């Protein structure tokens, strides 16, 4: 990111209010077993984000969107595995109206408190959700999706544009357009079916799942994302686009969608997507997804670029450096996803260092020079990159600039570029399509290098003061 540039349930008796039914205690329920799934996974910055008690493997989202009125009708089928015996479980949803819900085909009681939906499982033996069981929950919903303001003041969620809308999700905006387990620690595959007025295009992650189909003045687009994806990386852009499709020698699909108003100025940089993907694969390991590309909207359609999985989003024509940064996130953040939002520097520090490497190899600017520039920038020393003071600071300068300085110091400690790039490729291989924490990273680096780097971590990753540049 760049801020700078399935419940089983008998039909409820009509005499019982929905809220009371959802909150019945096990002792009063005629034999309910299990316990509620947690409402939140206690992320250090977003404690209510995500949910406990289950793990999602697949989302099938179907949307019918009216861009003129900025409304939608939607449904999501969630396939998940219970990680405990469940009496109820939660989903995250910001705004929108829940019209109905089922689990394993049975009507589910739904209670809502703010952005938390609680779905209550069935009381009888046949309807219980047991640990290890795979289940399917379907939620149907409608309304006007909302724009969410982050703690740092930036906007995400559902962003209306002149010719449609764009959905961006970091860190919590995806809950504005579909219910789910919206924490990066729960990744899943996705299928998205979107119907829009004829003449508009709906672009999302992954590969097209068949050609668009038009009927009665409305066109349906289908997108398939096979590899695990954190919900904050899911995107949807609706509008008028110039689209191009090609295939890399590796078989990876390249799909780009550019707003006609910025197509001419974007063309040269967007055409470099295959080149940049190949260069980064050489340095960071095999490209981790079956598709790549870019979505380029108008400059005023969002306040930042974002590393949406397989197809980064840009407001206006990107520079080569910004394209390198967001594409690097396909390895650092999208494939290897942070365990919590405290680990954000693993995304941004490594993507920023990718920019430094590009400038070193393509523009004759040594990474040491980029390091010195970052070192002299006072903004990079506001706090340690691995310990932002609050949710409002997880995308501040130290996460990027000082995060990249940590990577440069690792490179200096290794003192061998071949070994350093092998280290990066090993990292993306070990945690490919998974989650990793800062502790995982420091342990991995020390094990791979055979060195005690505790001094480096203390000074550069966690230290409160500015160490000597050559320290």
């Amino acid at each position: 990111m760049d801020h700078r540039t399935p419940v089983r349930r008998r039909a409820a008796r009509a005499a019982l209010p929905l809220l009371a039914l959802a909150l019945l205690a096990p002792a009063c329920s005629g034999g309910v077993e299990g316990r509620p799934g947690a409402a939140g996974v206690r992320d250090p910055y977003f404690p209510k984000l995500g949910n406990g008690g289950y793990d999602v493997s697949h989302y099938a989202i179907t949307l019918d969107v009216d861009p003129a009125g900025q409304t939608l009708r939607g449904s999501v089928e969630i396939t998940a595995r219970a990680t405990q015996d469940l009496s109820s479980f939660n989903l995250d949803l910001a705004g929108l109206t829940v019209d109905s819900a089922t689990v394993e085909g049975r009507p589910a009681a739904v209670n809502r408190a703010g952005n938390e939906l609680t779905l209550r499982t069935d009381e009888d033996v046949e309807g219980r959700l047991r640990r290890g069981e795979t289940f399917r929950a379907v939620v149907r919903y409608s309304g006007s999706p909302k724009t969410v303001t982050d703690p740092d003041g930036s906007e995400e969620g559902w962003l209306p544009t002149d010719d449609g809308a764009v959905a961006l999700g970091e860190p919590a905006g995806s809950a504005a357009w579909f219910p789910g387990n919206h924490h990066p620690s729960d990744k899943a595959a996705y299928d998205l079916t979107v119907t829009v007025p004829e003449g508009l295009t709906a672009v999302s992650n992954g590969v097209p799942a068949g050609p668009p189909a038009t009927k009665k003045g409305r066109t349906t687009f289908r997108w398939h994302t096979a590899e695990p994806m954190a919900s904050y990386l899911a995107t949807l852009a609706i509008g008028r686009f110039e689209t191009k499709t090609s295939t890399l020698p590796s078989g990876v699909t390249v799909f780009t969608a550019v707003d006609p108003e910025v197509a001419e100025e974007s063309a040269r940089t967007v055409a470099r997507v295959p080149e940049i993907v190949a260069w980064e694969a050489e340095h960071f390991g095999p490209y981790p997804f079956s598709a790549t590309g870019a979505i380029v909207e108008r400059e005023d359609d969002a306040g930042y670029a974002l590393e949406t999985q397989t197809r980064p989003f840009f407001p206006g024509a990107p520079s080569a450096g910004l394209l390198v940064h967001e594409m690097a996130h396909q390895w650092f953040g999208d494939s290897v996803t942070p365990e919590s939002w405290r680990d954000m520097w693993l995304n941004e520090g490594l993507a920023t260092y990718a920019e430094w490497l590009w400038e070193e190899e393509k523009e004759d600017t040594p990474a040491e020079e980029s390091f010195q520039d970052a070192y002299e920038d006072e903004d990079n020393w506001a706090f340690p990159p691995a310990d932002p003071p609050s949710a409002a600071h997880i995308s501040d300068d130290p996460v990027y600039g000082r995060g990249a300085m940590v990577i440069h110091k690792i490179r200096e400690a290794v003192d061998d570029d071949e070994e350093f790039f092998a280290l990066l490729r090993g990292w993306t291989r070990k945690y490919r399509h998974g989650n990793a924490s800062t502790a995982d990273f420091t342990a991995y680096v020390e094990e791979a290098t055979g060195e005690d780097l505790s001094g480096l971590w203390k000074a550069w990753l966690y230290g409160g003061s500015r160490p000597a540049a050559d320290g």
Side-chain angles (χ1 to χ4, degrees):
M1 186 176 193
D2 192 342
H3 281 291
R4 300 164 296 169
T5 48
V7 195
R8 297 177 176 172
R9 164 119 198 125
R10 295 180 301 193
R13 290 177 293 173
L16 284 175
L18 187 62
L19 176 61
L21 183 60
L23 297 179
L24 283 174
C28 310
S29 62
V32 171
E33 296 184 1
R35 65 185 191 277
V41 297
R42 297 185 180 181
D43 185 273
Y45 300 112
F46 301 91
K48 295 182 179 180
L49 201 60
N51 303 284
Y54 65 97
D55 179 66
V56 180
S57 60
H58 184 260
Y59 291 93
I61 304 168
T62 302
L63 300 177
D64 193 304
V65 182
D66 174 18
Q70 293 296 325
T71 61
L72 61 77
R73 289 182 293 110
S75 68
V76 58
E77 179 181 285
I78 299 170
T79 303
R81 181 180 59 85
T83 57
Q84 65 180 59
D85 291 347
L86 285 170
S87 60
S88 65
F89 65 90
N90 282 31
L91 298 170
D92 305 312
L93 182 65
L96 298 171
T97 298
V98 176
D99 300 316
S100 66
T102 63
V103 177
E104 293 292 273
R106 298 181 176 208
V110 182
N111 175 51
R112 185 161 196 171
N115 294 343
E116 292 289 339
L117 303 181
T118 301
L119 277 66
R120 178 62 183 257
T121 59
D122 207 321
E123 292 100 331
D124 64 25
V125 172
E126 183 182 354
R128 294 172 186 161
L129 289 178
R130 301 292 192 181
R131 179 179 179 180
E133 177 183 353
T134 297
F135 62 94
R136 288 178 175 82
V138 176
V139 179
R140 292 177 173 82
Y141 56 100
S142 59
S144 299
K146 63 191 292 186
T147 298
V148 178
T149 301
D150 288 341
D152 66 0
S154 60
E155 292 184 335
E156 56 168 323
W158 190 268
L159 306 178
T161 64
D162 286 343
D163 58 354
V166 60
L168 301 175
E170 185 175 333
S174 293
W177 60 284
F178 67 95
N181 197 9
H182 290 292
H183 188 267
S185 59
D186 192 0
K187 300 168 71 170
Y190 283 71
D191 280 283
L192 179 62
T193 301
V194 186
T195 300
V196 297
E198 186 177 3
L200 299 183
T201 300
V203 183
S204 188
N205 314 84
V207 297
T214 300
K215 183 178 181 181
K216 295 181 179 180
R218 296 183 66 77
T219 304
T220 298
F221 298 84
R222 293 178 173 85
W223 293 91
H224 174 63
T225 301
E227 300 89 359
M229 178 168 70
S231 67
Y232 81 90
L233 298 167
T235 192
L236 172 62
I238 298 169
R240 300 187 185 279
F241 293 101
E242 294 183 8
T243 63
K244 293 182 180 180
T245 304
S246 60
T247 305
L248 298 180
S250 61
V252 171
T253 298
V254 182
F255 184 95
T256 60
V258 183
D259 188 294
E261 289 199 5
V262 295
E264 184 176 355
E265 59 186 300
S266 302
R268 179 174 295 181
T269 303
V270 171
R272 300 186 76 176
V273 166
E275 173 195 357
I276 289 170
V277 168
W279 179 84
E280 293 185 331
E282 179 183 347
H283 291 76
F284 310 141
Y287 182 73
F289 302 113
S290 55
T292 188
I295 300 170
V296 185
E297 284 273 22
R298 305 174 198 181
E299 289 186 14
D300 57 355
D301 286 343
Y304 51 89
L306 188 64
E307 63 271 20
T308 45
Q309 188 162 306
T310 70
R311 196 156 290 115
F313 169 85
F314 302 94
S319 65
L322 183 57
L323 186 58
V324 167
H325 181 105
E326 303 303 342
M327 280 299 180
H329 278 307
Q330 304 306 303
W331 287 262
F332 307 118
D334 296 11
S335 177
V336 185
T337 303
E339 185 68 32
S340 81
W341 287 110
R342 177 167 283 157
D343 305 307
M344 179 81 157
W345 82 274
L346 286 171
N347 295 15
E348 302 301 348
L350 283 156
T352 300
Y353 200 71
E355 289 183 74
W356 295 5
L357 291 171
W358 176 268
E359 291 166 0
E360 182 172 70
E361 296 186 20
K362 303 293 185 178
E363 300 173 12
D364 296 323
T365 302
E368 176 63 24
E369 185 175 321
S370 298
F371 170 87
Q372 290 295 336
D373 288 344
Y375 181 85
E376 293 168 8
D377 185 346
E378 294 294 335
D379 291 340
N380 285 326
W381 300 100
F383 56 82
D387 193 20
S390 74
H393 299 284
I394 63 170
S395 292
D396 281 2
D397 288 343
V399 175
Y400 293 72
R402 190 170 168 187
M405 283 187 269
V406 173
I407 305 305
H408 191 70
K409 283 297 174 182
I410 294 171
R411 186 182 181 184
E412 288 183 344
V414 171
D415 198 26
D416 181 290
D417 273 359
E418 185 175 340
E419 184 178 343
F420 172 71
F421 289 116
L423 188 75
L424 296 183
R425 291 190 293 269
W427 171 251
T428 62
R429 180 174 59 251
K430 181 173 183 177
Y431 289 97
R432 183 181 175 93
H433 299 316
N435 294 87
S437 67
T438 298
D440 292 327
F441 181 75
T442 57
Y444 163 80
V445 171
E446 292 199 352
E447 180 180 1
T449 61
E451 297 186 30
D452 177 2
L453 299 176
S454 55
L456 189 158
W457 313 134
K458 182 178 179 180
W460 293 92
L461 190 55
Y462 291 107
S465 59
R466 180 168 11 191
D470 58 356

